[in-house]
Structures are given as structure tokens and as C-alpha cells.
Amino acid sequence: MARSIDLHVYSMKFSKEEVIAGRTYGLINLNETVTWKANHFGINFTMTSKITAMEKPYCFTDEMIKGPFRKLHHQHLFKSLNSGTEMTDIFEFEAPLGALGKLIERIILKNYMKNLLAERNNVIKKEAETCK
């Protein structure tokens, strides 16, 4: 479900996120790209991500190859538990604009991105639980 383009769009509906190029539906796979258009902070953004690593069913990594960040690297790690599956995100990003970007990261972006991931993961969790 973490690789689902359709679920991603659903989970990000508040930001009017939509796919505009690359993989447009279904499960994204190794070396595939997807380009997203979204609105955050009242600003329209376009970002292209690529799946750069995948070891099914244990992990996959997506990285921004074009977009608003200086760097965005997102690992999704999965561990099987008796009660289901645990997903851990390792999310690294850097804002552009040098020292000003670092300040914006600390004041705004760190919490914003953390909350964005938490909300998305709650949607994935709810969907997974309804599939049981």
C-alpha cells in the first residue's frame, strides 16, 4: 500500500496532489518515476520522484530527482510482526536557499513534513486494517 499511487493521491487530497507524469496508477516499481503536482502553503509545487531501491517485501526507497528540495530521500522499511506489519519511514530532506533554507527547515518544514508523513501513514494503516 505504501507503493500505491492511487492511495497516495487519496491520502494527499487536502493538498490537491495529483499525478501529472510517469507512473499514474497502481504500484510503483523499481526505476519508475512519478511526477506530482501539489499545493502546500498556498504554493503550487511539482516534484518528480524515482524508486531507486527495492527489496520486496522488506523495503524500498524513493528519491526526488527534480523538485523544490535540495535533497529528498525516503526509505520505507517493513517488518513482519505477529499482529501485522510494521512500517518505518526514514525521511531525509534539505531545503534549498542555503542558510535561509536551513532556518525554514527548523521553523516550519521539519514539523510540517513529520505531520504530513503521519497523516499519510494513518490513511495507509486504516486502509490496511479494512482489508483484513
Side-chain angles (χ1 to χ4, degrees), residues 64 68-73 92-96 101-102 105 109:
M64 183 193 76
F69 293 98
R70 184 167 174 236
K71 170 189 172 183
L72 192 148
H73 183 266
E92 302 170 273
F93 71 95
E94 292 178 18
K102 290 281 185 203
E105 277 178 37
L109 285 177

Side-chain angles (χ1 to χ4, degrees), residues 78-87:
F78 305 95
K79 183 172 27 171
S80 183
L81 305 172
N82 289 336
S83 60
T85 302
E86 177 183 84
M87 182 175 79

Side-chain angles (χ1 to χ4, degrees), residues 6-14 119-121 123-124:
D6 310 288
L7 188 55
H8 183 93
V9 170
Y10 175 74
S11 70
M12 295 287 121
K13 63 185 173 192
F14 71 91
E119 179 61 32
R120 176 168 155 60
N121 288 344
V123 171
I124 291 171

Side-chain angles (χ1 to χ4, degrees), residues 4-117:
S4 171
I5 300 294
D6 310 288
L7 188 55
H8 183 93
V9 170
Y10 175 74
S11 70
M12 295 287 121
K13 63 185 173 192
F14 71 91
S15 67
K16 301 177 187 147
E17 197 153 322
E18 61 182 306
V19 181
I20 59 172
R23 171 62 99 155
T24 58
Y25 64 92
L27 299 179
I28 194 163
N29 291 298
L30 183 62
N31 295 319
E32 290 184 328
T33 63
V34 59
T35 302
W36 305 99
K37 180 178 156 187
N39 187 291
H40 297 277
F41 307 109
I43 302 167
N44 288 324
F45 292 94
T46 302
M47 182 174 84
T48 301
S49 295
K50 180 178 183 178
I51 303 299
T52 57
M54 185 176 294
E55 188 180 331
K56 293 179 190 176
Y58 305 106
C59 62
F60 74 95
T61 302
D62 63 88
E63 297 184 66
M64 183 193 76
I65 57 174
K66 184 177 180 185
F69 293 98
R70 184 167 174 236
K71 170 189 172 183
L72 192 148
H73 183 266
H74 186 184
Q75 289 180 283
H76 310 256
L77 309 173
F78 305 95
K79 183 172 27 171
S80 183
L81 305 172
N82 289 336
S83 60
T85 302
E86 177 183 84
M87 182 175 79
T88 302
D89 286 304
I90 300 174
F91 190 83
E92 302 170 273
F93 71 95
E94 292 178 18
L97 306 175
L100 177 60
K102 290 281 185 203
L103 182 63
I104 292 168
E105 277 178 37
R106 268 183 273 147
I107 294 172
I108 300 169
L109 285 177
K110 184 177 179 181
N111 282 333
Y112 185 81
M113 298 304 281
K114 186 177 180 177
N115 291 334
L116 192 75
L117 282 175

